[in-house]
Amino acid sequence: MNPLIPHITPVTAPPHSESHVGNRIGWLRAAVLGANDGIISTACLLLGVAASGASATQMLTAGIAALAAGAMSMAVGEYVSVSSQADAERAELDLERREIAARPEAEHRELAAIYVSRGLEPALAEQVATQLMAKDALDAHAREELGLNAITAARPTQAALASALAFSSGSALPLLIAITSPAGATIPVLAVVSLLSLVLLGALAARAGNAPMLRAAVRVGSLGALAMVITSGIGWLVGVSV
């Protein structure tokens, strides 16, 4: 080592770590949708019932019915929706499996062309396509041609359970508020706490999905407030007319 040149300790870069949300998009979407719908629908229902002049017993009955019906509706709807997606994915995979068995050379050229379109040299694209198809041809075509992979695969049961549980959790909050709020203050307390809960939920969902928190919080809060105002007005009109 030359003594005139100071020794410089090499700096090694820390391990690169990234946090992606692809592996939780499905259940995150179902959970956020369920909780958001649980808070909004039950809070709006209770506000409408309260504005009509209903008794505490009537509000409790309506709230419990809304919780049960909403949870079942969310679960069934989510299961049917995601099951349809899963059926479509299986049909695409079956078709691709048959095409690979019937025309392997054409499918090989198709896969190589995909890599060329993404920037690889034709010779390298041919080599990559050959190696990937030799390992698992269907997996390679499912991922590159169809955009399907294990992370984003449709899971109906998981989505249904997440929706039902999330809706029940969200719905339980305004129901509990309506039961425990002081007499004569049910409407303002229910509206304020429900709106704050919606704003918090929107912010947390955005944070979990690496999205802007303020935008999501303002969006869900403003739309929730609009829904509550409209429902309360309808309940008041019904109460006055009846």
Side-chain angles (χ1 to χ4, degrees):
M1 179 184 296
N2 191 331
L4 299 179
I5 301 177
H7 175 68
I8 299 177
T9 302
V11 178
T12 57
H16 184 58
S17 176
E18 293 182 347
S19 176
H20 295 286
V21 298
N23 61 340
R24 59 176 184 262
I25 288 177
W27 68 260
L28 179 62
R29 170 188 168 276
V32 170
L33 178 62
N36 184 77
D37 195 32
I39 294 175
I40 290 180
S41 62
T42 306
C44 287
L45 174 67
L46 292 173
L47 285 170
V49 173
S52 69
S55 64
T57 302
Q58 291 172 325
M59 289 186 61
L60 176 61
T61 302
I64 293 176
L67 188 155
M72 294 303 100
S73 175
M74 289 292 294
V76 172
E78 195 71 18
Y79 187 87
V80 170
S81 174
V82 180
S83 292
S84 298
Q85 178 186 342
D87 291 341
E89 291 177 358
R90 282 193 294 268
E92 289 287 332
L93 288 175
D94 289 340
L95 176 60
E96 195 65 30
R97 185 182 292 107
R98 291 193 298 269
E99 290 180 348
I100 292 172
R103 303 184 306 146
E105 294 182 358
E107 291 298 310
H108 176 275
R109 291 193 299 269
E110 184 178 27
L111 187 61
I114 292 175
Y115 291 125
V116 170
S117 69
R118 293 180 181 177
L120 294 185
E121 294 292 333
L124 180 57
E126 287 283 342
Q127 183 180 2
V128 172
T130 299
Q131 293 184 5
L132 289 179
M133 288 193 68
K135 181 180 179 181
D136 192 334
L138 182 60
D139 178 73
H141 279 272
R143 183 176 60 251
E144 305 298 345
E145 182 181 349
L146 304 178
L148 302 177
N149 57 69
I151 293 177
T152 58
R155 297 178 175 85
T157 302
Q158 183 187 60
L161 290 176
S163 292
L165 291 174
F167 183 94
S168 299
S169 300
S171 182
L173 177 63
L175 180 58
L176 180 63
I177 295 169
I179 296 173
T180 59
S181 59
T186 300
I187 292 179
V189 172
L190 178 59
V192 170
V193 176
S194 296
L195 279 178
L196 290 177
S197 301
L198 286 173
V199 169
L200 179 60
L201 176 64
L204 291 177
R207 180 176 177 81
N210 295 332
M213 295 176 61
L214 180 60
R215 182 190 306 171
V218 171
R219 178 172 59 234
V220 70
S222 58
L223 293 176
L226 178 62
M228 291 179 191
V229 169
I230 293 175
T231 309
S232 298
I234 293 174
W236 178 80
L237 289 174
V238 171
V240 170
S241 61
V242 176

